[in-house]
Amino acid sequence: ANTATGIHLNYTNYPTIASNVVGGNTGGTSLCGIYGVFSGGVTIKANHVGVGLDGVTAIPNSIGIYDGNNNVNTLPWVIGGPTVADRNIIAGNTSHGTSTSGLAKSFAMTMQNNYFGLGADGTTVLGNGGNNITATGYTNSTIKDNVSVWAGMPNLSTAYGIAMSGSGTASSITGNFVGITPSGVAAGNRSGGISVTAATGLKIGGQTTGERNIISGNSNAATTPGIILGNSADTVIEGN
């Protein structure tokens, strides 16, 4: 544990953060596992954020990964990547798994192949205390091929598996397991599966099997939805 953030990026371009164990950084918004401010071109892959080296023992941060006030840097972020070897395990944190904000700037955020709320073994359910995935204001957000389970359940807070707001027309949510593990075990997110607000032209799912989101198990209350849309336009929900 540290008295501040585990890894802090400040006005830094094109760093790669890989194969670290980052845990025990708690106490406030800035006391995150990985914190980026005014930084871009960031790649974060193959880390354990909120869990130990074994991938299943919780060592909580407040927020796992936080992109804070990044509206002056238009370079993209990538969390995870196209292969299983790129997978981050982001679980066991007391607040959000990720909290990222493009603040309406024209740059991209990609989150791919990560486990949110799930241990590295694919069976140990740990959750995160807030939303597993929070993405705000990106022109191009790609959230694909992730597992997102048990958000908000450890501390019974309002939380979604994926929460997106203010996204632009190039954004998509595809190929994710939301509220259920890849082996089919229900591990619902407390407030719902996917929450979308103030988005334009967002695509959820698609016409191919690989684009299909599996959204199930989000049934912790009578009003817990699989997908909830608010104040959005031209959203396509297809093939889930």
Side-chain angles (χ1 to χ4, degrees), residues 104-142:
K105 287 292 181 179
S106 298
F107 74 111
M109 166 63 75
T110 298
M111 300 187 204
Q112 184 177 11
N113 269 321
N114 302 289
Y115 279 179
F116 293 93
L118 187 65
D121 60 359
T123 59
T124 301
V125 175
L126 298 167
N128 287 292
N131 299 324
N132 279 331
I133 299 172
T134 307
T136 303
Y138 293 97
T139 299
N140 180 357
S141 291
T142 301

Side-chain angles (χ1 to χ4, degrees), residues 126-226:
L126 298 167
N128 287 292
N131 299 324
N132 279 331
I133 299 172
T134 307
T136 303
Y138 293 97
T139 299
N140 180 357
S141 291
T142 301
I143 299 174
K144 64 182 298 186
D145 304 331
N146 302 284
V147 178
S148 180
V149 296
W150 213 238
M153 291 305 293
N155 56 5
L156 300 181
S157 63
T158 299
Y160 294 90
I162 301 171
M164 179 182 287
S165 64
S167 63
T169 55
S171 294
S172 61
I173 300 172
T174 61
N176 301 284
F177 287 86
V178 184
I180 189 168
T181 71
S183 62
V185 177
N189 301 291
R190 188 164 190 261
S191 301
I194 299 173
S195 171
V196 175
T197 57
T200 302
L202 174 65
K203 173 185 174 182
I204 302 175
Q207 297 182 0
T208 70
T209 301
E211 294 176 304
R212 177 183 300 149
N213 297 292
I214 309 299
I215 307 167
S216 184
N218 302 287
S219 57
N220 300 299
T223 57
T224 303

